[in-house]
Amino acid sequence: MISTLRMGDGADAGIANGIEAAAQRWRTLPRAQVAGRTRAGRTTVAKALGLQHGVETAPVDEPGFPDPVLDADIVVYVLASTPSPGDRRLLASLRPERTILVLNKADAIGTGWADAVEAARQYAREFGLPTFPMVGSLAARTVSGAFQESDLALLRRLAESGSAVTVSAEAFVSPAAGPDTADRTELLERWDLYGLACVLAALEREPDLAPRTVLQILHTISGIEPVARLLGQRYQQAISRRAGTLIDELTRLAARAVPHGQSRARALITEYLDTDEARWLALCGGLVDPEVSHLAAGYARPEPDDADDALARAVRWRAVVAGEMSPAARRAAVRVHNGYVRMWERMSSVGL
């Protein structure tokens, strides 16, 4: 379409440039930022989540410096203590569909994981953002580290002895716990007291755990799994939002392309907007539109299971369109409805 329009008159060539720019924006990968105050653990959390370099913002509440601009598709905001006024100011400005709040260093909150979970729930209610407790340092180590059989042998001996070595870091490396002080010190540096305490508790119940199993236990108790899962969903939603934006921009370009002479811009754009690809992009964009996304919360994935499911979804969204809603919500709902109608046609062979 772009090459065809570039061979046309000046107006069509200008429309082609607009289409190319819109397509380029759509193809650009979503951008993420990891924000928070100094020593909150931004670098560690970014490493644990596998986010690329350059996503970490300048620290929040840094004296003499402005707060960072949080304008990425996805913002991971890291707290490691009571929110400061700067934290509260920025958190109040963030949109929940683009934000994940991480309560880092959760092992230092209260007397157990339940206290960290309760603190996360309180912050989720206060800021209206999805909030998760996490031990970023442990999560990062499970990504890059490995448990050796020799490590487990040492921990099995400690578990069998029943000594209270995990009451503090000093107790864990104390010579009173045995002659292997240097090995215990190295273990503590690698896995932290919280991780080692959890491994010892697991070994007391099941002494024959394999190193790989222990590493998976550490990965799970770090709290990273729900954060990583939601981050993946946020990336998919950001891609879908960009798809919706592409359809919006193409629709505007078609409206601007007033037919005259040999101009084909409006006809070609309109033709593309009726393709299966464009209907699918519009559907994905509609499903994540903030005005109607709550109505799609029950869908495990945007694709219907079969023709009957596609028809049921189309009927449901037809009813949504018929209800009272804002123009933006209606536009999103119409796109979802039309997308599922097209999918029903293809899956049932009605449209062939």
Side-chain angles (χ1 to χ4, degrees):
M1 176 168 60
I2 294 174
S3 58
T4 300
L5 291 175
R6 283 213 167 114
M7 292 187 296
D9 60 21
D12 277 6
I15 294 293
N17 291 336
I19 295 172
E20 185 174 45
Q24 186 60 43
R25 286 189 290 272
W26 168 54
R27 294 190 188 102
T28 303
L29 289 175
R31 188 166 60 94
Q33 290 174 305
V34 181
R37 280 183 290 164
T38 301
R39 292 185 291 278
R42 291 167 294 141
T43 302
T44 304
V45 169
K47 178 183 176 183
L49 292 172
L51 295 172
Q52 68 272 24
H53 296 295
V55 300
E56 188 177 324
T57 70
V60 174
D61 256 2
E62 191 76 1
F65 292 91
D67 286 335
V69 176
L70 304 182
D71 58 357
D73 300 284
I74 306 158
V75 175
V76 179
Y77 200 100
V78 184
L79 284 178
S81 60
T82 302
S84 70
D87 288 322
R88 294 181 182 281
R89 183 172 58 252
L90 282 177
L91 288 169
S93 70
L94 297 176
R95 296 166 60 179
E97 70 272 13
R98 296 172 182 255
T99 308
I100 303 173
L101 180 55
V102 173
L103 187 54
N104 194 27
K105 305 180 183 180
D107 54 321
I109 297 174
T111 59
W113 191 258
D115 292 332
V117 171
E118 180 56 32
R121 286 174 179 163
Q122 291 177 6
Y123 289 139
R125 289 193 294 268
E126 179 178 353
F127 298 115
L129 301 171
T131 308
F132 302 91
M134 181 173 159
V135 184
S137 58
L138 181 59
R141 290 183 176 103
T142 64
V143 172
S144 58
F147 236 90
Q148 305 298 325
E149 186 59 48
S150 58
D151 299 334
L152 280 180
L154 189 158
L155 292 174
R156 287 191 187 102
R157 182 184 66 76
L158 292 174
E160 291 168 0
S161 71
S163 56
V165 294
T166 57
V167 295
S168 68
E170 292 77 13
F172 190 84
V173 299
S174 171
D180 43 19
T181 302
D183 293 334
R184 281 181 279 118
T185 300
E186 193 267 339
L187 267 181
L188 185 63
E189 290 175 353
R190 277 198 289 138
W191 300 107
D192 290 339
L193 190 64
Y194 169 71
L196 293 172
C198 292
V199 173
L200 282 171
L203 289 173
E204 288 174 1
R205 293 170 175 77
E206 200 169 335
D208 297 328
L209 290 173
R212 189 184 185 102
T213 304
V214 170
L215 193 65
Q216 182 57 51
I217 290 173
L218 290 170
H219 189 75
T220 300
I221 64 172
S222 72
I224 191 175
E225 291 183 344
V227 180
R229 186 162 51 246
L230 183 57
L231 180 63
Q233 293 171 4
R234 289 285 188 262
Y235 265 103
Q236 289 302 317
Q237 290 164 359
I239 291 171
S240 294
R241 279 196 298 272
R242 291 193 176 192
T245 300
L246 173 66
I247 298 301
D248 286 340
E249 293 182 349
L250 290 178
T251 302
R252 284 193 290 269
L253 287 169
R256 283 173 43 197
V258 179
H260 65 279
Q262 300 297 316
S263 173
R264 300 183 58 200
R266 177 175 290 185
L268 289 176
I269 297 174
T270 302
E271 182 180 327
Y272 171 76
L273 290 174
D274 192 45
T275 63
D276 291 352
E277 178 184 85
R279 290 291 180 95
W280 170 249
L281 294 176
L283 183 154
C284 291
L287 287 175
V288 299
D289 189 290
E291 297 272 0
V292 298
S293 59
H294 61 286
L295 299 174
Y299 296 159
R301 55 197 182 97
E303 301 91 336
D305 295 329
D306 50 32
D308 289 340
D309 187 26
L311 180 59
R313 295 189 186 197
V315 170
R316 178 171 181 252
W317 284 93
R318 175 74 176 184
V320 171
V321 171
E324 292 187 8
M325 57 179 58
S326 68
R330 190 179 306 281
R331 181 173 63 250
V334 167
R335 287 177 174 178
V336 175
H337 167 263
N338 291 345
Y340 281 129
V341 169
R342 177 62 60 87
M343 296 193 78
W344 170 71
E345 292 173 349
R346 296 295 179 256
M347 298 174 87
S348 64
S349 300
V350 170
L352 296 181

